[in-house]
């Protein structure tokens, strides 16, 4: 079936499908209620064939979501087989082991019908502003504490909303208008994608997406296998330590095996699952293992299901990378975001020109504030900001930029407009980028004040306090994370803290690791960093040897 499409036609069709996914994403952005979606990009839209394999995804969505959505759709099809779907059907879940690894993310999938026949699916994932329970916290001991879990069920049946399910859901969240508004926006996004696919089939004369999907997946599979085959066969290993939770320190052990045009990533030796919410379910582990490989080996071919078929990912059951229900998992990103660094560290000896040092923005540090406004209404807002990226073989790391996630910071003005919080300072953090031939990206310094009349709650999700982003091939580590109140006291880095009205909090985001020996850095680059205030005179002299 793949021979029916010449390369030019295939490229034109593929770009149109990506445009359809982008238009669906625009629909979600323009109709969502929460700043998590509108400002911080914590979502994705994906178009899939009848099997649930991805055909195209929006260009700006979260890579982990795009990678997971087809896996979740296949689980939907196990419960609701193809022949049971009707026009207007939309299915939902936030089950961490079926979907994205924690409860705040809703996966919503709508059937695409063309001339009365089911031809594919339009899906979206969005981080909800509230899911009840502990909200977004890392200190719970079971998933039951973390919020309400929606099993695979219909959100709409033949276009009619599942009012009973919505009543239960909205009765268990603090900001029901935002939660409902974002769910409605996901449905809108899916409907836009479905309409565009139907129009695409009409315009091209295709009966369905099957042949085109197979051709596109074959193309991406071939591109990835070709890239893997350029690596020398062998087994490469690395370990990365993390702060864990209090005395429960965690370790990620990674072994990468290359055989011909295939790659296996195995996490045997990784720490056992713990009774705190930093466990990372397998879907998320898989997504943040294959995506960094894609970025390093085949960065330019658009992604779809075929991109990852040459890569297998395994992790021991009951480990922090494959925990069993009902383990707490709310802050699974504090573990899952570290996987790129482990994989790149393992592969550095055989592909040093294609990897980057560890990122200070991996894992991302999140500060979630909730409480009551002066008018008595509830608020729940996450501060999205990032540490610095790791340095690359030929380039400094980008400041205040997250990787492997691509969640954005968003507008501070928009953040302040929806929460009783004032951000007094947000600037780059001097000397936070790891020294090297190429310097790690700078983290940020953020100072804010709680402007409530009653105590608020801070739920802090952070790492890199004890284990800063390491440098690579002679590069030095970036600056660690620091969170402190104005009086010098520090909240728990992964727990909930009561914050009094008027309290000021400073968050220092970690910097990225450096690449190569610092004394090999270009002297003009050191002088430019000094002039820009990126490094201090002491660092220029003592670390880089600038006279």
């Amino acid at each position: 079936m793949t021979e029916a499409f010449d390369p030019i036609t295939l490229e034109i069709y593929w770009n149109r499908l990506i445009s359809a996914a982008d238009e669906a994403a625009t629909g979600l952005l323009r109709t969502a209620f929460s700043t998590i979606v509108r400002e911080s990009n914590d979502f994705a839209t994906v178009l899939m064939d009848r099997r649930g394999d991805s055909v195209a995804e929006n260009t700006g969505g979260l890579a982990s979501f795009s990678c997971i959505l087809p896996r979740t759709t296949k689980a939907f099809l196990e419960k609701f087989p193809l022949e049971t779907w009707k026009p207007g059907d939309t299915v939902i879940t936030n089950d961490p082991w079926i979907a994205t690894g924690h409860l705040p993310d809703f996966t919503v999938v709508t059937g695409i019908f063309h001339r009365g026949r089911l031809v594919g699916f339009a899906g979206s994932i969005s981080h909800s502003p509230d899911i009840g329970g502990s909200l977004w916290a890392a200190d719970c001991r079971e998933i039951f504490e973390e919020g309400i879990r929606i099993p695979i069920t219909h959100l709409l049946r033949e276009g009619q909303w599942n009012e009973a399910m919505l009543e239960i859901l909205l009765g268990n969240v603090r900001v029901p208008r935002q939660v409902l508004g974002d769910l409605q926006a996901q449905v809108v996004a899916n409907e836009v994608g479905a309409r565009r696919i139907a129009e695409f089939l009409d315009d091209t004369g295709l009966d369905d997406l099957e042949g085109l999907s197979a051709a596109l997946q074959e193309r991406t599979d071939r591109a990835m296998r070709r890239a893997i085959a350029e690596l020398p066969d062998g087994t490469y290993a690395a370990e990365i330590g993390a702060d864990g939770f209090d005395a429960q320190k965690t370790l990620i052990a990674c072994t990468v095996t290359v055989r011909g045009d295939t790659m296996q990533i195995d996490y045997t030796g990784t720490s056992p699952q713990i009774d705190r919410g930093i466990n990372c379910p397998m879907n998320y582990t898989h997504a943040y293992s294959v995506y960094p490989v894609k970025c390093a080996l085949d960065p330019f071919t658009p992604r779809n299901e075929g991109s990852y078929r040459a890569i297998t990912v395994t992790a021991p059951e009951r480990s922090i990378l494959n925990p069993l229900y009902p383990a707490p998992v709310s802050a699974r990103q504090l573990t899952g975001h570290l996987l790129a660094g482990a994989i790149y560290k393992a592969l550095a000896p055989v592909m040093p020109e294609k990897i980057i040092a560890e990122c200070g923005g991996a894992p991302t540090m999140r500060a979630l504030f909730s409480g009551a406004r002066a008018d008595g209404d509830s608020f729940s807002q996450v501060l999205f900001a990032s540490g610095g990226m790791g340095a690359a073989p030929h380039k400094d790391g980008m400041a205040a930029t997250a990787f492997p996630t691509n969640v954005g910071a968003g507008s501070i003005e928009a953040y302040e407009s929806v929460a009783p919080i004032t951000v007094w300072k947000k600037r780059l953090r001097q000397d936070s980028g790891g020294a090297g031939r190429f310097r790690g990206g700078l983290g940020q310094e953020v100072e804010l004040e709680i402007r409530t009349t009653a105590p608020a709650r801070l739920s802090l999700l952070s790492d890199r306090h004890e284990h800063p982003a390491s440098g690579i091939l002679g590069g030095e580590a970036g600056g660690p994370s620091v969170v402190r109140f104005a009086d010098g006291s520090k909240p728990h880095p992964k727990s909930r803290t009561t914050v009094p009205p008027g309290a000021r909090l400073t968050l220092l985001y970690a910097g990225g690791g450096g690449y190569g020996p610092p004394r090999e850095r270009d002297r003009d680059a050191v002088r430019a960093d000094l002039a820009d205030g990126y490094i201090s005179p002491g660092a220029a002299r003592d670390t880089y040897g600038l006279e």
Side-chain angles (χ1 to χ4, degrees):
M1 296 183 70
T2 60
E3 296 177 358
F5 301 97
D6 64 84
I8 294 176
T9 300
L10 194 62
E11 188 70 20
I12 292 171
Y13 285 1
W14 199 358
N15 277 284
R16 181 162 173 184
L17 292 174
I18 294 171
S19 295
D22 284 341
E23 188 173 347
T26 300
L28 179 52
L29 279 170
R30 291 185 175 178
T31 56
F33 278 41
S34 74
T35 57
I36 294 175
V37 176
R38 290 187 288 105
E39 297 290 333
S40 298
N41 198 56
D42 203 346
F43 76 96
T45 56
V46 179
L47 301 174
M48 296 163 282
D49 62 23
R50 282 167 51 88
R51 294 181 299 274
D53 290 340
S54 63
V55 179
E57 58 190 62
N58 74 299
T59 52
L62 261 64
S64 63
F65 288 0
S66 300
C67 186
I68 291 171
L69 219 160
R71 297 164 73 95
T72 307
T73 302
K74 291 177 174 66
F76 288 175
L77 290 174
E78 289 180 8
K79 182 167 183 179
F80 301 119
L82 286 170
E83 62 272 15
T84 68
W85 286 71
K86 298 180 180 179
D89 282 1
T90 296
V91 178
I92 185 174
T93 191
N94 67 337
D95 187 305
W97 283 267
I98 298 172
T100 68
H102 72 173
L103 295 172
D105 296 333
F106 282 116
T107 301
V108 176
V109 172
T110 301
I112 302 174
F113 284 80
H114 180 244
R115 297 175 182 171
R117 179 168 173 261
L118 181 66
V119 296
F121 299 93
S124 59
I125 300 177
S126 175
H127 187 115
S128 178
D130 190 9
I131 196 59
S134 66
L135 203 61
W136 197 7
D139 54 1
C140 296
R141 294 185 181 273
E142 289 184 312
I143 192 173
F144 307 112
E145 303 172 51
E146 294 181 337
I148 186 169
R149 183 165 61 100
I150 306 298
I152 297 174
T153 190
H154 282 101
L155 180 60
L156 288 89
R157 185 64 166 159
E158 297 187 67
Q160 299 300 310
W161 286 83
N162 185 342
E163 297 293 346
M165 188 277 289
L166 283 178
E167 186 175 354
I168 294 171
L169 170 61
L170 300 179
N172 282 277
V173 298
R174 299 164 183 83
V175 285
R177 285 173 294 182
Q178 287 189 47
V179 172
L180 178 59
D182 280 8
L183 278 177
Q184 291 171 330
Q186 286 188 253
V187 173
V188 167
N190 289 1
E191 290 175 348
V192 170
R195 285 199 301 270
R196 294 299 173 262
I197 290 299
E199 292 170 2
F200 169 79
L201 294 176
D202 280 336
D203 291 347
T204 60
L206 297 174
D207 293 327
D208 52 39
L209 296 172
E210 300 310 295
L212 179 59
S213 176
L216 294 175
Q217 290 173 49
E218 180 186 11
R219 184 174 179 180
T220 54
D221 180 43
R222 188 167 61 245
M224 178 57 74
R225 289 181 186 277
R226 185 167 54 244
I228 293 173
E230 293 177 359
L231 300 177
D233 284 3
T235 299
Y236 313 100
E239 293 183 346
I240 285 184
D243 296 354
F245 198 102
D246 292 338
Q248 301 181 83
K249 307 304 177 186
T250 53
L251 175 76
I252 294 172
C254 174
T255 301
V256 182
T257 301
V258 177
R259 290 286 182 269
D261 63 357
T262 65
M263 177 181 290
Q264 180 182 19
I265 301 172
D266 179 64
Y267 294 105
T268 298
T270 291
S271 297
Q273 72 181 60
I274 68 173
D275 62 348
R276 298 293 187 172
I278 60 174
N279 300 294
C280 180
M282 195 64 203
N283 270 1
Y284 202 76
T285 294
H286 177 270
Y288 273 131
S289 298
V290 298
Y291 175 65
V293 173
K294 167 71 172 167
C295 291
L297 294 182
D298 182 33
F300 301 115
T301 306
R303 301 185 303 268
N304 64 23
E305 196 79 2
S307 302
Y308 312 117
R309 286 183 175 156
I311 308 168
T312 57
V313 181
T314 55
E317 284 192 345
R318 300 186 185 276
S319 71
I320 57 171
L321 293 176
N322 190 7
L324 298 187
Y325 174 88
V329 294
S330 188
R332 86 301 193 223
Q333 74 279 358
L334 296 183
T335 297
H337 285 182
L338 297 172
L339 301 182
I343 293 168
Y344 288 167
K345 185 177 180 181
L347 291 173
V350 293
M351 44 182 277
E353 77 289 352
K354 293 184 177 180
I355 52 90
I356 61 174
E358 274 199 281
C359 296
T364 52
M365 181 159 67
R366 298 285 179 255
L368 187 152
F369 297 91
S370 60
R373 309 174 195 273
D375 60 7
D377 199 7
S378 297
F379 73 93
S380 174
Q381 286 297 132
V382 183
L383 177 67
F384 281 88
S386 182
M389 277 189 69
H394 310 292
K395 186 178 181 181
D396 292 341
M398 290 187 286
T401 303
F403 178 84
T405 181
N406 58 338
V407 170
S411 162
I412 289 299
E413 291 78 12
Y415 179 77
E416 291 178 327
S417 73
V418 294
I421 295 171
T422 298
V423 178
W424 291 106
K425 182 189 300 180
K426 191 171 187 285
R427 65 182 183 185
L428 295 180
R429 180 184 172 193
Q430 189 180 66
D431 286 337
S432 59
R437 182 188 314 125
F438 293 97
R439 175 183 43 73
L442 273 62
Q444 299 180 74
E445 178 183 358
V446 180
E447 182 182 340
L448 51 82
E449 180 181 356
I450 311 301
R451 305 296 293 271
T452 56
T453 56
R457 189 180 74 174
L458 164 66
S459 181
L460 189 61
L461 306 173
S462 64
D463 206 277
R464 298 287 187 202
H465 297 271
E466 302 173 36
H467 294 80
S470 61
I472 201 164
L473 299 176
E476 297 186 1
S481 302
V482 179
V483 183
R484 59 174 179 256
F485 289 108
D487 63 3
S489 63
K490 296 180 180 180
H492 192 286
K494 290 185 176 71
S495 192
R496 288 165 284 178
T497 303
T498 299
V499 183
R504 286 207 179 197
L505 183 69
T506 297
L507 301 99
L508 303 180
Y509 290 76
Y515 190 107
R519 295 299 176 108
E520 294 180 4
R521 184 165 177 78
D522 180 81
R523 300 293 90 183
D524 288 340
V526 177
R527 294 186 186 95
D529 282 351
L530 184 61
D532 290 335
Y534 295 164
I535 62 174
S536 64
R541 180 185 64 252
D542 300 334
T543 303
Y544 290 103
L546 186 68
E547 300 297 335

